[in-house]
Amino acid sequence: MITRSISPTQPPRWATLLAEGVRDPSELLALLGLDAAQAPYPIDARSPFPLRVPHGFVDRMRRGDWHDPLLRQVLPLAREATPQAGFGLDPVGDGPSRRPGGILHKYHGRALMILTGACAIHCRYCFRRHFPYAEAHAARSRWLEALDYLHADPSIEEVILSGGDPLSLPDEKLAELTCALAEIPHLKRIRVHTRLPIVLPERVGASASSWLENRRFQWVVVVHSNHAQELDESVAEALLHMRHFGAVMLNQAVLLAGVNDTAAAQIALSERLFEAGVLPYYLHLLDRTQGTAHFEVEETRARQLMGEVAARLPGYLVPRLARETPSAPAKQVLAAC
Ligand SMILES: *Cc1c(COP(=O)(O)O)cnc(C)c1O
Ligand code: SF4
């Protein structure tokens, strides 16, 4: 009998799915039954921040709809290349917060660790689209520097694993990092900022969350979903799975014109998240990053919208409307009106 043995170096299925994501705008349009010649807005097939989206996420888009809220988040448009006044390369003021080994230390008690520049999806509005990841990401060789920094500052109680997307790293690496962090006595919490469970729920398998079981820490997972349509059954299962490992599950979203800038869209998102065991945390106003101006929602309109949402939902389903201000001691939370 011939048995096919699986070699230990074979990548897990999620890594294959991640690598096989759609990268060509014409392929994406063909999958959606859209004709590029009919595009209501010019597309940029050669953007320096190229298209990237997993097939499973494409499957959640509506066929034949140029205004689909998931499609709008990923399709590169020609107008991204037009400079807009007030939209810069480092809108959130990351520059002065950079520390050795890919750490951003901006706020008291918590430090953010950039583990990788890689993401499963490229979101057009991303404020890190111009970030110099090649210099900043913490490859294993740089972890030691980052760990030294964390060791040396006892005021840091929480480490935020971020990127890029930290879950684009293999579980072995995340487990290794978790063990190293466990040696730092003043650390209490690990927070993971990730969009992967939303865009590639296959990432969250049984073995996948083994490092999440490390009881030395309290775990917080902050996922990133902008629209209820992103949250199909497979995503809900992945989120509930992480919750059952004991992680507190929160969501952050970005308020995006043409994607989720209605009270109905926000209400549906909060309700759907809750069904999947996740509470809304932040709804971010767009960071004014070059190439993203067409997604901006005016602050006054945003606050009105939150007023409409707050009038309809229990308080725990209303996200905090927040703006990132360079050099402020915290994110600025804006009142609904
Ligand atoms: C947003 C952010 C945090 C986390 O802020 P919270 O208000 O605790 O969610 C931490 N560090 C940096 C650099 C950030 O941008
Ligand atoms: S997943 Fe997050 S970091 Fe990656 S492109 Fe999207 S918004 Fe940016």
Side-chain angles (χ1 to χ4, degrees), residues 255 281-285 299 301-304 306 318-323 332-336:
L255 184 57
Y281 180 35
Y282 281 132
L283 176 61
H284 297 278
L285 285 182
E299 182 176 322
R301 171 70 198 122
R303 293 175 59 204
Q304 279 168 355
M306 288 320 293
V318 181
R320 298 168 181 80
L321 182 66
R323 173 194 289 294
Q332 185 191 356
V333 176
L334 305 169

Side-chain angles (χ1 to χ4, degrees), residues 49 118-119 121-123 125-128 133 163-165 195 224:
F49 183 59
C119 290
I121 187 168
H122 286 172
C123 312
Y125 53 85
C126 182
F127 75 101
R128 296 204 196 279
Y133 280 117
D165 201 310
R195 187 146 159 73
H224 169 183

